[in-house]
Amino acid sequence: MAKLISVLDRYPEYETTIGMEVHVQLATKSKIFCSCANRITKEPNSNICNVCAGYPGALPVLNKAVINYAIAAGLATNCTISPTSTFDRKHYFYPDLPKNYQITQQYLPICLEGFVPIRLEDGSVKKIRLIRIHIEEDAGKNIHSSSSNESFVDLNRAGTPLLEMVSYPDVSSAYEARAYLKALRSIVQYLQICSGNMEEGAFRADTNISVRKKGTEKLGTKVELKNINSFKFISDAIDYEIERQIELLEGGGTVRQETRLWDDKNNKSIIMRSKEEAADYRFFQDPDLPIIQIDEIQLEQVKGSMPELPHNKFDRFVAQNGLSPYEAEILIEDRELANYYEKAFESAQSKQIVNWILRDVMGYLKEHKLELNQCKVTPEKLAAIVTMVENGKINGHAAKEVFNIVAETGGNPADIVKEKGLEQIGSQDELAAIVKEILAAHPENVALYKSGKDRVFGFFVGQAMQKTQGKGDPKVIQDLLKKYLSE
Ligand SMILES: [Zn+2]
């Protein structure tokens, strides 16, 4: 693959350091501190109770599933799981948080010091280190009316369990930021602890970006880019911000510490607030919640229930199934697609399986705007089509036709081949008879061929395909023609 062009290529004397804070909404059945369902609810304030709406005196009760999800995320990202961790209150005033503090883990987070391996453009692996993963609750949402100049508060989201995964500033380009987020998103999806849906905000990233001249020891002033909700915007926003900061410095200015938002309509970042002083959140340990103790037994239980992780699957696909890193990368990025491939490959251990998936299955889904689970060509049916091609029962042309019919109707590939009479006229003897017949009927062209006019070879192939109604194996026909013409 060609190296992607990075903004930094234009400013070779600069480098950038990027730290990422990723918020992962956990897909537990109920919210973190109450029994309200943890799901997206349309009707505002219809999925709340005294606890998540922050009534004074309401007592939180910890949802234990959240702890197991956090442990799984920590183990999957090579973190140390703290035997003891606590919940703290982070105080601030905001309408979408009526109790005026958010419950988080400031002092003793549940996971410490891990790393996530990412693959770079040249195929090498880089480790992005994690400082910590902590558990916290999400706030509600403020909704600002564009027509009436009013604002509303919807607390349905309040109390949704979140993990915040905080990295060291190890990311050094937009490409790496994207690779890191994709790797992280795959991990939480494989663990089935988060939907990974970025548009719904279930997986969202804040990015701290700074630039400095190479060789400078001190990090540059960091600017925070908030809540970007697509991979494309993340690349665009980071590249824009790197260039904005370098140009500021080149022009003799200074970068101010501030929080910016990405305006995807105009492709630029805009200032949201300046961050001259660190806010004082007056953290203290929440007296309403117990100290979390995690022992070896619980750790082993979570470990035992974890699936194969995406980077391990990648290694296995390449080493054992003979996929190229490019093919493996596309498959593992989507857990469902990887599972689809595995099922199909189980039924037909052919190198062709991956080609059919990347070209035909994905092409069909894209064209018809379908999800993989809506695809009528099941892994078993795809394997059946590929097997028929490999056994010489049908040729590639017929296989495409069968694929399209199965995709439309969900029919059985073998039955379709029979009904449509798509079997290849495959036996060597049958085809040999046809070839001999054609040569005998066109002695003048045989003479031309033998006198060196190679072009008439195409004529013979065309005749043979016509005789077999397109069902002859072209490769066999060509071999037979060559054989008899040289006699
Ligand atoms: Zn509630």
Side-chain angles (χ1 to χ4, degrees):
M1 267 184 294
K3 192 180 182 307
L4 297 171
I5 293 162
S6 155
V7 160
L8 286 166
D9 295 344
R10 292 206 296 276
Y11 304 95
E13 67 276 28
Y14 280 91
E15 62 186 3
T16 180
T17 47
I18 302 173
M20 317 213 51
E21 291 167 15
V22 176
H23 282 98
V24 173
Q25 258 182 16
L26 296 180
T28 49
K29 287 196 187 77
S30 52
K31 291 185 180 181
I32 182 167
F33 297 123
C34 62
S35 57
C36 292
N38 177 26
R39 56 172 151 76
I40 294 171
T41 311
K42 273 212 177 120
E43 178 66 22
N45 298 311
S46 65
N47 183 26
I48 58 173
C49 69
N50 291 354
V51 174
C52 56
Y55 277 49
L59 286 173
V61 178
L62 177 63
N63 177 350
K64 293 210 172 64
V66 171
I67 303 299
N68 286 335
Y69 282 20
I71 294 172
L75 291 173
T77 52
N78 309 289
C79 286
T80 303
I81 311 299
S82 315
T84 302
S85 62
T86 54
F87 285 107
D88 306 296
R89 294 181 177 181
K90 178 185 186 179
H91 296 84
Y92 61 92
F93 174 77
Y94 219 51
D96 60 5
L97 190 77
K99 65 182 184 290
N100 288 342
Y101 60 85
Q102 179 192 29
I103 301 175
T104 179
Q105 293 194 297
Q106 176 68 10
Y107 297 120
L108 288 171
I110 190 159
C111 311
L112 290 165
E113 298 294 331
F115 66 86
V116 174
I118 61 166
R119 247 175 307 280
L120 303 182
E121 291 146 294
D122 63 2
S124 64
V125 173
K126 176 176 176 178
K127 287 177 180 173
I128 306 297
R129 292 168 305 149
L130 288 173
I131 300 172
R132 56 193 276 154
I133 301 176
H134 62 256
I135 301 168
E136 59 187 31
E137 59 177 341
D138 211 344
K141 265 183 195 168
N142 295 324
I143 298 154
H144 308 290
S145 166
S146 52
S147 55
S148 68
N149 209 20
E150 287 170 292
S151 286
F152 304 91
V153 179
D154 175 10
L155 294 176
N156 284 341
R157 197 179 67 178
T160 300
L162 294 178
L163 292 183
E164 181 170 342
M165 308 175 93
V166 185
S167 84
Y168 282 94
D170 287 350
V171 171
S172 46
S173 69
Y175 181 91
E176 288 181 19
R178 221 170 121 114
Y180 171 68
L181 290 176
K182 284 196 169 180
L184 211 52
R185 192 175 72 142
S186 289
I187 289 171
V188 297
Q189 286 177 322
Y190 274 57
L191 294 173
Q192 293 184 282
I193 62 173
C194 170
S195 72
N197 189 318
M198 295 176 82
E199 274 152 53
E200 288 171 359
F203 185 90
R204 49 191 202 258
D206 296 342
T207 313
N208 289 302
I209 304 169
S210 69
V211 300
R212 63 178 168 188
K213 281 223 160 131
K214 281 179 189 164
T216 318
E217 217 159 279
K218 199 169 161 269
L219 287 172
T221 306
K222 66 181 182 189
V223 170
E224 185 182 28
L225 271 174
K226 270 254 178 236
N227 278 344
I228 305 170
N229 67 353
S230 91
F231 287 121
K232 181 182 180 329
F233 294 162
I234 280 164
S235 298
D236 292 352
I238 290 175
D239 272 342
Y240 176 89
E241 188 54 30
I242 292 170
E243 188 155 33
R244 188 188 70 85
Q245 292 184 22
I246 292 174
E247 284 186 348
L248 255 177
L249 296 175
E250 286 288 289
T254 48
V255 175
R256 293 195 320 165
Q257 191 172 345
E258 59 198 16
T259 300
R260 299 178 75 87
L261 290 174
W262 179 244
D263 173 358
D264 58 76
K265 299 215 168 49
N266 299 304
N267 275 319
K268 60 180 195 176
S269 70
I270 45 176
I271 184 161
M272 181 180 156
R273 58 172 179 255
S274 82
K275 257 195 172 177
E276 297 289 332
E277 299 148 45
D280 179 4
Y281 295 114
R282 295 173 44 247
F283 287 101
F284 68 80
Q285 192 182 330
D286 194 310
D288 292 341
L289 284 159
I291 293 169
I292 306 161
Q293 309 272 10
I294 296 165
D295 57 18
E296 279 302 316
I297 299 168
Q298 191 174 5
L299 273 186
E300 287 307 316
Q301 272 170 356
V302 176
K303 217 178 261 179
S305 67
M306 280 167 59
E308 182 183 34
L309 291 168
H311 47 272
N312 298 333
K313 207 183 269 292
F314 175 94
D315 291 343
R316 186 165 57 82
F317 281 179
V318 172
Q320 290 178 21
N321 295 15
L323 298 191
S324 71
Y326 170 76
E327 291 164 342
E329 185 88 54
I330 297 177
L331 292 180
I332 63 144
E333 201 182 296
D334 178 343
R335 183 173 163 269
E336 298 300 318
L337 192 65
N339 285 344
Y340 182 100
Y341 163 76
E342 295 232 60
K343 273 194 202 142
F345 194 77
E346 240 165 60
S347 309
Q349 266 117 52
S350 162
K351 185 73 194 45
Q352 291 305 316
I353 290 284
V354 71
N355 297 338
W356 275 86
I357 292 176
L358 299 187
R359 183 191 59 209
D360 302 270
V361 176
M362 289 179 75
Y364 186 87
L365 296 179
K366 200 173 169 194
E367 190 186 337
H368 294 83
K369 297 194 172 63
L370 293 172
E371 297 293 329
L372 187 59
N373 60 16
Q374 298 170 296
C375 180
K376 289 180 178 160
V377 186
T378 60
E380 293 77 15
K381 286 175 182 167
L382 182 72
I385 297 172
V386 171
T387 304
M388 284 192 282
V389 179
E390 303 233 307
N391 293 345
K393 190 167 187 200
I394 54 175
N395 63 24
H397 180 75
K400 293 240 182 212
E401 195 178 334
V402 176
F403 177 89
N404 284 327
I405 296 170
V406 177
E408 294 297 324
T409 65
N412 178 305
D415 294 346
I416 294 166
V417 168
K418 235 180 244 158
E419 277 162 32
K420 298 257 161 190
L422 292 169
E423 285 103 338
Q424 195 154 239
I425 298 178
S427 87
Q428 195 89 1
D429 293 347
E430 271 177 285
L431 290 177
I434 289 169
V435 165
K436 278 187 192 160
E437 199 181 307
I438 291 165
L439 297 183
H442 300 282
E444 71 293 349
N445 282 343
V446 174
L448 274 174
Y449 181 83
K450 289 192 170 166
S451 74
K453 296 261 187 298
D454 290 355
R455 279 184 297 124
V456 287
F457 190 75
F459 164 80
F460 292 126
V461 174
Q463 287 287 308
M465 290 312 283
Q466 213 174 353
K467 279 247 169 190
T468 61
Q469 292 167 318
K471 290 176 242 158
D473 182 335
K475 173 87 180 51
V476 177
I477 290 173
Q478 292 187 17
D479 289 346
L480 285 168
L481 277 169
K482 278 182 195 146
K483 183 180 161 209
Y484 292 121
L485 282 166
S486 63
E487 273 176 359

